[in-house]
């Protein structure tokens, strides 16, 4: 049973032309989730902002990235309510989930990836085979080496500079969530398991 998004919770009707030149990262902020590389990437491109939602779990990591040149391009929001998260996603042009290549990440399905998709955002993700299968299979984002801040920066710039393609990737992801990566589908699977166990 997968922890996929609830249909409609993060959906929005914002026009692509009304979005800012911003991308977002939502969730727990740690070294192994690639925050250093993401902030480094933000220092390589001008006039693009990162909407950072969540709390740092490692104070030393926060102090380190605050010294990076890319930190000046960060809008730090801290912990937000779900409606506020939806508002941040609605004004962003991509969602970032670039976890580092550790055993518990490579074969995982991060819920945040599907939440970005449900909000109609193209996703910039780590190039793990399992993740690539989802992203490339649904043409809903860009897979990069999470250890390479230049690749991250280039992917962000591509999304910003190619609005038609970015919007199409976002819509593709949204449709994939509507069809298969949602809690309604998983709930039915869960009920079937309960039925089998109670027979």
């Amino acid at each position: 049973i997968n922890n996929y998004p609830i249909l409609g919770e993060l959906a929005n009707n914002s026009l692509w032309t009304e979005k800012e030149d911003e991308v977002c990262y939502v969730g727990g902020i740690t070294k192994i989730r690639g925050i250093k590389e993401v902030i480094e990437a933000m220092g390589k491109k001008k006039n693009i902002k990162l909407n950072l939602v969540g709390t740092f779990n490692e104070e030393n990591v926060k102090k380190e990235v605050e010294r990076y040149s890319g930190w000046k391009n960060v809008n730090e929001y801290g912990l937000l309510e779900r409606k506020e998260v939806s508002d941040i996603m609605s004004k962003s042009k991509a969602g970032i989930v670039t976890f580092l290549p550790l055993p518990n990440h490579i074969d995982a399905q991060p819920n945040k990836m599907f939440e970005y998709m449900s909000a109609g955002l193209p996703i910039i993700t780590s190039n793990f085979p399992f993740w690539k299968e989802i992203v490339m299979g649904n043409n809903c984002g860009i897979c990069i080496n999470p250890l390479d801040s230049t690749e991250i920066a280039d992917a962000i710039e591509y999304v910003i500079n190619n609005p038609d393609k970015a919007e199409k990737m976002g819509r593709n992801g949204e449709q994939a969530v509507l069809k298969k990566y949602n809690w309604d589908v998983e709930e039915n699977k869960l009920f079937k398991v309960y039925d089998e166990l109670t027979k």
Side-chain angles (χ1 to χ4, degrees), residues 21-114:
D21 284 346
E22 299 174 353
V23 296
C24 65
Y25 173 100
V26 179
I29 305 169
T30 64
K31 178 181 176 181
I32 65 171
R33 289 188 172 191
I35 191 60
K36 289 184 178 183
E37 291 76 9
V38 170
I39 303 302
E40 283 178 358
M42 296 311 300
K44 297 176 186 292
K45 303 297 178 182
K46 295 180 179 179
N47 304 318
I48 301 173
K49 295 289 187 179
L50 170 68
N51 295 319
L52 187 61
V53 179
T55 55
F56 280 85
N57 295 339
E58 303 146 324
E59 188 60 30
N60 62 316
V61 172
K62 184 175 191 222
K63 288 179 179 177
E64 180 179 344
V65 298
E66 284 177 337
R67 295 194 296 268
Y68 292 3
S69 63
W71 188 255
K72 68 181 182 297
N73 295 326
V74 173
N75 298 320
E76 186 185 11
Y77 290 95
L79 201 60
L80 297 179
E81 299 292 331
R82 294 294 282 177
K83 173 62 172 68
E84 295 171 308
V85 170
S86 179
D87 291 342
I88 294 295
M89 289 185 180
S90 72
K91 72 190 192 86
S92 303
K93 290 184 176 177
I96 296 177
V97 53
T98 50
F99 292 1
L100 302 190
L102 300 173
N104 62 324
H105 289 161
I106 291 172
D107 294 319
Q109 285 191 116
N111 189 48
K112 207 57 60 183
M113 177 190 300
F114 302 105

Side-chain angles (χ1 to χ4, degrees), residues 1-2 6 10 17 25 51 53 97 119 130 151 180-181 193:
I1 305 298
N2 298 291
I6 297 170
L10 295 170
T17 52
Y25 173 100
N51 295 319
V53 179
V97 53
F130 185 41
E151 280 195 31
K180 52 188 172 181
Y181 303 120
V193 171

Side-chain angles (χ1 to χ4, degrees), residues 151-193:
E151 280 195 31
I152 298 171
D154 289 345
I156 291 170
E157 186 176 57
Y158 181 87
V159 167
I160 299 297
N161 291 341
N162 294 275
D164 292 342
K165 291 179 180 177
E167 183 175 14
K168 187 174 191 310
M169 287 190 288
R171 295 304 165 215
N172 288 343
E174 189 175 26
Q175 286 301 309
V177 168
L178 288 172
K179 291 176 183 176
K180 52 188 172 181
Y181 303 120
N182 65 74
W183 178 245
D184 285 5
V185 171
E186 297 304 298
E187 185 179 49
N188 288 333
K189 286 162 59 175
L190 183 61
F191 286 152
K192 286 179 182 177
V193 171

